[in-house]
Amino acid sequence: MQLRYAMTGLVVVLSLAGCQRTAYDYSSNASAGPAPLTAQPVPSVQGGQLPPPTGSSQFPAAPTTTAPMPGAQPGAMAANALDITKESMVGSWRVNGSCDMFLTLTNLGSGSRGGTRGCVGELTAMGSWEVAGKQVLFKDRSGNQLGSVYKTADNRFEGQTSTGQSISLSR
């Protein structure tokens, strides 16, 4: 029995002998900091007028109308759209195969909270969504409509943003 206590004591002493204190010692030269950096020479700055822009305008002309995509007209889609329930929309959706949309049932204004991750364009401002008839409306946090989609198949929605860019949701 005595041998067992002696061996246990020896193991504890050996294991503690391998430990060392790794905390910072504040008492040793606490006021010494890193050495200051030496100043680098800076070239002189020149001033003057920029030449006037060439051409009549520095920006291209804005498009006058946006042509809807074939097959993406709201009237044509609404006629062939499948029925939607709000509960079937909840969850994660893949937008245009490149970013994610998350839809919840948490109330936000007149709709439910939603958002996107990794998307570009108008959908980055999405804050809420709601089902209106056979379409799903996407809105920003101020309640302005960003776009809408219609159900075209199980776990598949097609539509467009308010500027005419196509949107496809899939799971």
Side-chain angles (χ1 to χ4, degrees):
M1 181 93 125
Q2 297 258 347
L3 182 60
R4 186 169 64 174
Y5 290 128
M7 291 302 288
T8 304
L10 182 61
V11 169
V12 169
V13 169
L14 288 176
S15 63
L16 290 177
C19 296
Q20 53 180 308
R21 187 172 178 174
T22 58
Y24 180 74
D25 185 11
Y26 293 101
S27 63
S28 64
N29 204 4
S31 63
L37 297 174
T38 58
Q40 297 293 317
V42 177
S44 62
V45 177
Q46 298 177 359
Q49 287 289 342
L50 292 173
T54 58
S56 61
S57 174
Q58 63 185 9
F59 299 107
T64 55
T65 60
T66 56
M69 297 184 66
Q73 291 91 1
M77 256 197 252
N80 299 329
L82 302 171
D83 291 329
I84 306 169
T85 63
K86 195 169 187 176
E87 291 76 19
S88 69
M89 294 299 300
V90 173
S92 175
W93 292 87
R94 194 77 175 146
V95 181
N96 297 337
S98 62
C99 64
D100 297 311
M101 179 181 289
F102 305 97
L103 306 177
T104 70
L105 289 176
T106 306
N107 289 335
L108 181 67
S110 64
S112 296
R113 187 176 305 273
T116 60
R117 178 180 59 197
C119 293
V120 295
E122 293 174 271
L123 291 179
T124 58
M126 183 187 150
S128 67
W129 65 282
E130 63 183 63
V131 174
K134 291 188 174 190
Q135 66 179 335
V136 180
L137 306 175
F138 303 120
K139 298 181 178 184
D140 63 13
R141 293 198 181 268
S142 301
N144 303 316
Q145 186 172 333
L146 299 173
S148 63
V149 293
Y150 294 90
K151 186 173 184 178
T152 56
D154 285 342
N155 294 322
R156 182 86 178 157
F157 290 80
E158 299 288 334
Q160 60 186 0
T161 64
S162 53
T163 58
Q165 295 176 339
S166 67
I167 305 172
S168 67
L169 301 180
S170 61
R171 285 194 203 204

